[in-house]
Amino acid sequence: MVSKRDKYKRFISFGSAVVLLAALSGSFAFIWYRYYSDTIVLPYYRRGNWVLIGIYALLVWLFFKAYGGFKIGYLKKTDMLYSQMISMVCVNVVGYFMVSLIGRDFMRVSPFLLLTAVDFAFIFVWTLVTAKLYFMIYPPRKLIIIYGSHQAASLVLKMSQRVDKYMICESVSVNEEPEKIRELINKYEGVIICDLPAESRNDYLKYCFENSIRAYIAPKISDIIIRGADDIRLFDTPLLLCRNYGLDFEQRLVKRIFDIVFASIGLVVSMPFMLLPAIAIKLYDGGPVFFRQKRLTIDGKEFEVYKFRSMIVDAEKAGVPMLASENDPRITPVGAFLRRTRLDELPQLLNILKGDMSIVGPRPERPELTDEYEKDMPEFSFRLKVKAGLTGYAQVTGVYDTTPYDKLKMDLMYIENYSMRLDLQIILMTLKTMLFPGKTNEASEELILHGGQSNKGKEDK
């Protein structure tokens, strides 16, 4: 049954977020009144000052929402700190230029540096205290997993890395007697349903709904498509409409305009950052600075992607396509840095201006590798409903060794839930990924279930 404490979880999260927002806004108010309010050409009256502080609070809220800075109990403490620190740097940079605009001159920077240091201190204390309290109020949930194959092993491994949220106490095969499985489900606070045949999955999901038991479901491709469906209310029988053609004309038009504007500004701003890698690549081995390769974009069209060369010359001398591994010996020291910070992708801004790519979208894949993936995952081509992207949902959510099948799911989630707001959020999350790259799944060495394998595209048995 639903815990009484669960009913107040959002209220607790909201209350703690308000406390942090008030502390950060109060710090800005002090800095504003102490260093800036009387030095501008035409000082504000009371309401003008209040409006400015309110705008600053709104900026904090927007950036924290984009980076997940208020997600207590959802992100790890380190991830929370990263998200909040990046958010505050962005907010204070915008805040400084806002104050300078009001003052009609470049104002003193030192008060904002002091403000940022104070903000970091507030954030550090708030994160530690709230994480401690949240863990005391909401200890890890005791879960059972119902699995249909050993492919569930990788999911168990990933969830077991979050011992602050999940405690997987037992696993049971779907081949066991249904009565026995239901008895086991009733012993725990939640159930993980992974890779079950459609009929069995529906039965156990309905049982969990009937008994108010929390259920975590590993989605199939068809589930993700249905999540993007629209309700049809023309009849007294519910219908879901899956349009299945990617983005509509208006969305493509707005996205293209945004791509042109963003890529043009990005090229101008990133020129210094592109010059330094080019010099470093040339000095290291004297080889070509840029690397061109055939990739696929919308509707399977081929194009040549531009990147900074991160591998040795003739990395694929044998002519056989090879995926790069994390410690690939073909990657040069300069290339390793460029890959880690994603700077090797900057030349793709030219692809975006040409119309081959978009700022946000699925990763552009090689035709040869796409053919290989489609042998195991016939649905892999579904991701080509939109243009390939410089960054994407799979890139900012996944890690270096996320399986192609999981990346496919994330790409489809992006397509089915597309919005300009989601694009902006992914762009902001890309900055965090560049500064703080995610760990690989190989960090944990033991599988909970024996015989774990990579996910394959086997749907709805």
Side-chain angles (χ1 to χ4, degrees), residues 59-71 83 87 421 424-426 428-429 432:
L59 286 171
V60 174
W61 183 80
L62 288 173
F63 275 96
F64 270 53
K65 285 288 288 182
Y67 280 116
F70 289 132
K71 291 188 175 181
S83 298
S87 297
R421 177 181 174 275
L424 293 172
Q425 189 172 7
I426 290 171
L428 289 174
M429 288 301 296
K432 178 187 171 185

Side-chain angles (χ1 to χ4, degrees), residues 142-177:
K142 296 180 179 178
L143 306 175
I144 180 173
I145 180 168
I146 309 172
Y147 62 93
S149 73
H150 289 306
Q151 292 176 8
S154 61
L155 176 61
V156 173
L157 172 64
K158 293 170 187 176
M159 294 187 73
S160 297
Q161 293 171 12
R162 291 299 306 273
V163 293
D164 56 323
K165 282 187 66 68
Y166 310 112
M167 187 183 297
I168 301 176
C169 303
E170 193 164 352
S171 62
V172 59
S173 170
V174 70
N175 297 322
E176 295 285 348
E177 288 296 322

Side-chain angles (χ1 to χ4, degrees), residues 208-264:
C208 291
F209 186 87
E210 180 184 0
N211 293 277
S212 300
I213 298 171
R214 181 175 292 239
Y216 301 82
I217 303 165
K220 299 177 184 289
I221 298 295
S222 54
D223 297 327
I224 296 171
I225 294 172
I226 291 172
R227 283 186 65 190
D230 293 327
D231 296 335
I232 300 294
R233 300 187 179 91
L234 299 176
F235 319 102
D236 60 354
T237 298
L239 287 177
L240 295 175
L241 170 61
C242 300
R243 290 190 169 85
N244 300 330
Y245 53 62
L247 310 186
D248 58 34
F249 173 76
E250 292 82 2
Q251 288 174 323
R252 292 191 186 198
L253 178 62
V254 172
K255 192 172 175 64
R256 180 61 185 147
I257 293 171
F258 176 77
D259 287 341
I260 293 171
V261 173
F262 191 97
S264 300

